Amino acid sequence: RSYATEAASTGLRLTFAVPHQTLYKDVNVAQVNIAAVSGDMGILASHVPSIEQLRPGVVEVLEGAASKRFFVSGGFATMNPDSTLNINAIEAFPIEEFSSETIRNNLAEAQRVVNSGATEEEKIAAKIEVEVLEALQAAVNAK
Amino acid sequence: MFATRAQPVVSALSAGVQTRNMATLREIQIRLNSIKNIGKITKSMKMIASTKVAKAQRSMETARTYGRTSGAIYTNSNTAPLENESEIFVVSSSDRGLCGGIHSSVAKATRKLIAVPTGSIAGVVVLGDKAKNQMSRSNRKDIHLSFNQIGKSIPTYAEASAAADTILTSGVKVETTTVVYNMFHSAIAYEATPLRSYSLEALKSAEGFSAYELDDEVLENYREFLLANNLYWALVEGHASEMSAKRNAMENATKNAGDMVDRLTMTYNRTRQAAITSELVDIITGASAL
């Protein structure tokens, strides 16, 4: 019985912050799934401490029965030895708030710039935009 | 005979006193108007600053959470600069004046830190023209980068990350970076505080760091990310302190202008009454002389 209560009290404490908004501040959650550069992973309480770079993709937060999915443009997730998970993302919004129409239009525009005769810098910026938008499109369509 | 001879002298003198009083009255009136106008300007500046403070403070809370979350890795792993590592000082301020002691506060704190550095000084970066002016007075040769167009509105992450990128690609070795900004204590108090981010080697050799698993290829990205996050936090909190200091400075200025207007009005009324009295005295003396 004592072991069970210990596990319940530590739990996984999530702090998910974006420069303009604090999404979660030291909230007890069950599990967090992140899209890391090294692969997708699910993080539970007492996960091995690690630092992961996030790629443009979905961060899913499971609190009890409810799950919230955010699309993240990039950032870092740090799992600390004391069972706290810190996620710093540059932009993160709930998936529901994205409009497929706008994604399609922006993606077409970005792809056009990549294939056009723009400067190298503009092309690289457009390629990044394409990567993010494609991931966003996949995430929005996956729900 | 005494009266007839006295009369022209008295009136000439009194005429002189009258004209002198009139000139002084006019001067006082001009001064009074100018100070009233200044009072109106400072009052409206105070109103503007008040609205900006509320917004800036809200952004600051979010930026603080973001920045503290980002910097937690340093506290969790007890990171400290290695010996012989160079230090870059970033002085975070703005372009605008009329905000009390904001700029001199960060400049003074930076100079104090430069006097006892943890390693060699790689350079000084200034964010904001006023900071540049302040630091040029003492450390002109150390300043190797300066940014302006800061302070007009709440700093965005894009600005902070552009600044971080410029610093990292400026050719100077970036090891320990100490950002000095004004920490917001309360609506009337702020304090210049340093915020450090460390080099890769320092982070890797920190005692608590070996507990963390990570891919080496993301380590450099991580370090740059942490630097940008610190810059963002410093810029936003510095902005909030500045708006608050500006509000206080403008409030004091308005109060002082009000006090001056009161004093000058007194002087004006007294001078006016003295002019009237001396006119009356002329008339009465003249009348009694007849």
Side-chain angles (χ1 to χ4, degrees):
Chain A
R1 205 179 304 133
S2 61
Y3 290 123
T5 42
E6 247 180 59
S9 59
T10 44
L12 178 63
R13 291 205 314 281
L14 170 69
T15 303
F16 185 173
V18 167
H20 56 82
Q21 198 186 357
T22 304
L23 297 164
Y24 289 85
K25 185 160 181 188
D26 211 23
V27 176
N28 240 316
V29 298
Q31 180 179 342
V32 179
N33 296 328
I34 61 174
V37 160
S38 54
D40 291 345
M41 51 179 66
I43 300 185
L44 294 146
S46 313
H47 191 274
V48 156
S50 63
I51 300 175
E52 295 288 341
Q53 179 172 345
L54 302 171
R55 60 170 205 271
V58 178
V59 166
E60 188 174 3
V61 179
L62 293 147
E63 252 180 304
S67 102
K68 281 208 200 100
R69 299 168 73 225
F70 298 89
F71 186 79
V72 156
S73 67
F76 273 85
T78 308
M79 179 71 198
N80 296 307
D82 58 358
S83 223
T84 53
L85 174 62
N86 292 339
I87 302 183
N88 282 91
I90 304 199
E91 297 276 6
F93 292 99
I95 296 254
E96 305 79 57
E97 293 184 10
F98 290 99
S99 120
S100 315
E101 183 69 38
T102 320
I103 298 173
R104 253 202 311 276
N105 294 340
N106 289 351
L107 185 54
E109 179 64 32
Q111 273 162 343
R112 196 189 57 77
V113 175
V114 171
N115 298 326
S116 77
T119 66
E120 199 53 47
E121 248 189 71
E122 285 173 8
K123 280 201 194 172
I124 294 177
K127 280 197 185 125
I128 297 175
E129 208 178 322
V130 166
E131 185 189 329
V132 175
L133 285 167
E134 280 178 349
L136 180 54
Q137 201 172 49
V140 170
N141 294 338
K143 73 171 160 81
Chain B
M1 194 164 57
F2 181 75
T4 40
R5 236 198 298 155
Q7 196 183 10
V9 173
V10 167
S11 42
L13 251 182
S14 68
V17 166
Q18 263 182 26
T19 39
R20 191 171 62 234
N21 271 349
M22 284 308 192
T24 331
L25 267 178
R26 177 64 42 124
E27 280 167 19
I28 298 180
Q29 206 166 25
I30 293 174
R31 247 191 113 193
L32 207 51
N33 280 337
S34 128
I35 294 179
K36 275 189 187 155
N37 283 337
I38 292 177
K40 282 191 207 149
I41 294 173
T42 54
K43 190 163 175 197
S44 56
M45 285 182 85
K46 179 193 132 187
M47 294 282 143
I48 295 173
S50 306
T51 50
K52 285 192 176 173
V53 167
K55 229 178 121 193
Q57 245 184 295
R58 280 199 301 273
S59 300
M60 176 191 74
E61 294 297 337
T62 321
R64 262 188 187 167
T65 310
Y66 183 77
R68 285 200 185 126
T69 312
S70 157
I73 183 69
Y74 292 135
T75 36
N76 286 346
S77 61
N78 277 323
T79 318
L82 302 173
E83 269 189 55
N84 302 329
E85 270 193 334
S86 62
E87 195 169 356
I88 291 188
F89 291 92
V90 179
V91 187
S92 165
S93 187
S94 81
D95 296 344
R96 304 182 142 208
L98 291 179
C99 46
I102 289 279
H103 310 297
S104 52
S105 147
V106 270
K108 209 162 77 163
T110 310
R111 282 185 215 122
K112 258 167 90 172
L113 286 170
I114 289 182
V116 274
T118 53
S120 56
I121 313 261
V124 171
V125 174
V126 279
L127 303 173
D129 282 332
K130 292 284 174 184
K132 188 162 88 168
N133 295 342
Q134 288 273 340
M135 293 309 291
S136 299
R137 293 201 325 233
S138 56
N139 300 75
R140 189 188 293 271
K141 57 176 177 46
D142 291 322
I143 301 179
H144 76 279
L145 266 182
S146 82
F147 296 83
N148 58 10
Q149 301 301 319
I150 296 180
K152 282 206 192 121
S153 52
I154 300 185
T156 60
Y157 192 79
E159 287 168 17
S161 96
D165 192 47
T166 314
I167 294 174
L168 289 160
T169 53
S170 66
V172 177
K173 196 146 193 249
V174 180
E175 288 175 326
T176 311
T177 314
T178 305
V179 184
V180 184
Y181 70 105
N182 282 310
M183 182 186 330
F184 185 96
H185 280 304
S186 77
I188 51 170
Y190 57 85
E191 193 182 342
T193 316
L195 191 58
R196 289 202 167 83
S197 63
Y198 302 95
S199 70
L200 266 183
E201 287 66 39
L203 190 53
K204 279 206 273 211
S205 32
E207 45 176 286
F209 193 68
S210 48
Y212 293 88
E213 271 185 20
L214 88 164
D215 281 328
D216 273 333
E217 51 187 53
V218 306
L219 202 48
E220 176 62 27
N221 292 350
Y222 190 51
R223 183 182 83 105
E224 297 181 3
F225 187 61
L226 292 170
L227 173 62
N229 291 346
N230 271 356
L231 276 175
Y232 174 72
W233 179 11
L235 279 168
V236 175
E237 188 152 352
H239 180 82
S241 301
E242 183 186 325
M243 288 300 112
S244 160
K246 188 173 291 201
R247 199 205 75 91
N248 292 339
M250 290 300 104
E251 181 172 350
N252 287 339
T254 314
K255 199 156 59 89
N256 291 343
D259 287 345
M260 281 183 88
V261 162
D262 288 341
R263 273 200 325 267
L264 270 180
T265 311
M266 282 304 233
T267 317
Y268 179 79
N269 284 335
R270 259 186 269 120
T271 316
R272 188 176 53 86
Q273 286 159 4
I276 294 172
T277 312
S278 53
E279 269 191 59
L280 280 172
V281 163
D282 296 338
I283 295 169
I284 292 169
T285 329
S288 64
L290 280 171

